[in-house]
Amino acid sequence: MTVTSDVPRADLIGCPNCDLLHRAKPIAEGERAVCQRCHTVLIAPRAAAYSRALALSVANLILVTAAVFHPFLEIHAAGIVNRVSLLDVATSFGTGALVVVTVTSVAMILLVPLLRALLLAYALTPLALQHRAYTGARWAFRVAQELKPWAMTEIFVIGCAVALVKVAGLARLNFGPAFWMFIALSAFVILVDRSLCTWSIWSALDEAEKKPRRQPARRVRQ
Amino acid sequence: MTTAREEGLVTCRTCARVWPGMAEACGRCGARLSSRDALSLQRVWAWWIAGVACYIPANLYPMLVTETLTSRSESTIIGGAIDIAKHGDLGIALIVLIASVFIPVVKFIAIAYLGLSVKLRSQQTPVGRMHLFEVIEFIGRWSMIDVFVVAILSALVQLSVVASIQPGPAALAFALSVIFTMFSAKSFDPRLIWDYLPTRAGSRAP
């Protein structure tokens, strides 16, 4: 992987973590190309990655939306029943300065995962269907990746487990459908992120934008 | 072994494409480009100080206020973990302690260490420091567990006069502390770790 100045710039990869230059070479699915110096994974293509990531993103989209409208947890104590939805949980920090916590909780548990699923689906659909990339697909993919640390579905699920133990002595708890949707959702989120090779997707987006526009009549349709 | 900067190029940290040194935005993904972020360390320290400052009230003020028919109790982060341990759930108590005490404290120390090592132009264990940085970026979010626990409990346990749970002021301080330290880690430019290393002829893989 020696780098010479006569290599076309498009064939070079700079390591995002240590700036070392590498020459990009196509590698087999399942293999990984790592930076020579700092061992950051540069390329890691997966078979059928686009259709799988797309399917999981669409599943996430449906799950987050459905989870909002279903009961999440139910508590019974001394004849009193309290049933809460995810929205109730995220908006439980009532008044004053704690509103800031409400806003961030809603964002991290619901809005950011929803937005990421939408953006990924938008960017990956044409790749999976081998169509021309949609306008703004690059922007959608970049924002989806930047939002990654702020989507905290799996952390919220662990938080639920801790909360259950805390109230176990106080009351009886039942899980609502939304709770199970969230468990599935966090597994899907992890699977999507594992199947995404950033470098391959950027190259695929490059390719997909070169494709001729299919069925130009479609663009006129309202 | 040459870096993009030595070739007069600039690497996009989002999509790994390289551009001529004077480019300001990546032509592929649109991310802002900078060969080295001159203000990186300054931002790291600013967010770090904000994070540490918020972590102190987060531990002093109550995280949860529990009211039952007969009593009213306030528990701090550590007090809450001790309560859980007393009930016999050692594993859960450990999760709370790791997420809310161990991870944040280790993060503060690790970010300070990374910042100082770059400032002092350390040439020791660049690969180790790089891994440390990746671990820090990965585990930082897990501290939010306790904030979510408070959110779930205060939404759920509203049983009129029998029992109710309200969030305490520490919830806000703790959430802010986690967010600020995530920003601090994000501001760190890991390429700085490698910049002061001598490019040895023998460093190429044999």
Side-chain angles (χ1 to χ4, degrees):
Chain A
M1 269 194 164
T2 43
V3 175
T4 44
S5 35
D6 51 275
V7 176
R9 207 161 32 74
D11 288 349
L12 293 173
I13 295 185
C15 172
N17 284 332
C18 78
D19 210 31
L20 198 67
L21 277 177
H22 298 269
R23 212 173 151 169
K25 281 181 194 158
I27 61 169
E29 275 154 8
E31 284 182 2
R32 305 195 310 173
V34 298
C35 171
Q36 257 187 312
R37 181 160 75 164
C38 74
H39 313 306
T40 298
V41 177
L42 299 175
I43 315 176
R46 299 263 185 286
Y50 306 134
S51 27
R52 191 189 305 157
L54 175 63
L56 289 168
S57 297
V58 172
N60 284 353
L61 212 62
I62 296 167
L63 279 173
V64 181
T65 319
V68 175
F69 295 105
H70 286 86
F72 186 65
L73 284 169
E74 210 179 65
I75 187 168
H76 299 256
I80 304 169
V81 180
N82 189 22
R83 188 178 293 130
V84 292
S85 72
L86 270 173
L87 222 49
D88 296 328
V89 173
T91 55
S92 64
F93 295 91
T95 49
L98 290 170
V99 168
V100 180
V101 187
T102 302
V103 174
T104 32
S105 299
V106 177
M108 287 166 176
I109 302 168
L110 295 173
L111 294 184
V112 177
L114 188 71
L115 194 61
R116 275 201 82 211
L118 269 173
L119 292 169
L120 281 179
Y122 183 79
L124 296 177
T125 304
L127 299 185
L129 302 176
Q130 305 197 322
H131 280 292
R132 192 174 197 278
Y134 299 146
T135 328
R138 294 152 181 272
W139 179 85
F141 185 60
R142 177 163 66 90
V143 174
Q145 291 299 83
E146 277 171 7
L147 286 176
K148 201 159 129 184
W150 304 101
M152 303 203 180
T153 320
E154 68 278 29
I155 297 162
F156 181 67
V157 169
I158 305 284
C160 289
V162 176
L164 293 190
V165 174
K166 279 206 177 186
V167 286
L170 202 66
R172 191 164 59 82
L173 279 175
N174 289 333
F175 301 110
F179 180 81
W180 302 111
M181 291 179 195
F182 241 69
I183 301 269
L185 182 66
S186 50
F188 287 177
V189 169
I190 293 166
L191 283 176
V192 172
D193 289 334
R194 281 179 59 103
S195 64
L196 290 181
C197 165
T198 324
W199 189 84
S200 309
I201 291 178
W202 283 117
S203 316
L205 283 173
D206 282 345
E207 287 303 308
E209 289 203 342
K210 285 181 202 147
K211 281 187 184 147
R213 254 193 202 106
R214 285 189 183 188
Q215 297 160 302
R218 254 195 193 175
R219 297 185 58 81
V220 188
R221 199 179 65 184
Q222 285 300 307
Chain B
M1 270 196 161
T2 47
T3 61
R5 183 157 75 164
E6 285 159 4
E7 297 274 323
L9 300 168
V10 51
T11 305
C12 171
R13 292 201 59 210
T14 308
C15 73
R17 188 82 181 256
V18 290
W19 300 94
M22 60 288 236
E24 281 180 357
C26 175
R28 173 151 79 172
C29 70
R32 215 162 47 82
L33 294 175
S34 71
S35 181
R36 292 301 179 273
D37 193 341
L39 289 175
S40 165
L41 281 185
Q42 218 166 319
R43 277 207 310 272
V44 170
W45 286 116
W47 288 120
W48 186 88
I49 292 168
V52 174
C54 286
Y55 191 65
I56 297 165
N59 276 283
L60 296 180
Y61 287 99
M63 192 86 169
L64 278 179
V65 182
T66 312
E67 282 173 0
T68 60
L69 274 177
T70 49
S71 66
R72 175 193 157 92
S73 70
E74 296 185 340
S75 63
T76 56
I77 293 176
I78 296 177
I82 294 173
D83 286 345
I84 299 178
K86 276 185 187 158
H87 282 287
D89 294 300
L90 280 177
I92 297 286
L94 212 60
I95 291 182
V96 175
L97 279 181
I98 289 176
S100 343
V101 182
F102 182 74
I103 292 183
V105 171
V106 166
K107 245 188 109 166
F108 291 138
I109 298 171
I111 295 175
Y113 165 68
L114 286 175
L116 286 175
S117 76
V118 165
K119 179 89 186 161
L120 300 172
R121 304 189 163 212
S122 163
Q123 306 196 350
Q124 308 297 311
T125 60
V127 177
R129 280 187 280 149
M130 184 67 229
H131 286 319
L132 180 67
F133 172 68
E134 282 170 349
V135 171
I136 297 290
E137 269 207 311
F138 177 77
I139 62 166
R141 331 149 56 228
W142 284 92
S143 301
M144 282 305 278
I145 287 183
D146 229 21
V147 175
F148 292 149
V149 170
V150 173
I152 296 163
L153 289 181
S154 38
L156 195 60
V157 186
Q158 297 299 338
L159 303 164
S160 66
V161 290
V162 180
S164 76
I165 292 181
Q166 260 83 45
L172 174 64
F174 189 74
L176 288 178
S177 173
V178 176
I179 292 168
F180 290 160
T181 21
M182 281 174 74
F183 279 131
S184 177
K186 252 187 110 58
S187 311
F188 185 74
D189 186 343
R191 296 174 300 188
L192 294 173
I193 295 178
W194 305 90
D195 279 350
Y196 309 116
L197 297 176
T199 353
R200 290 178 297 254
S203 61
R204 193 171 290 174

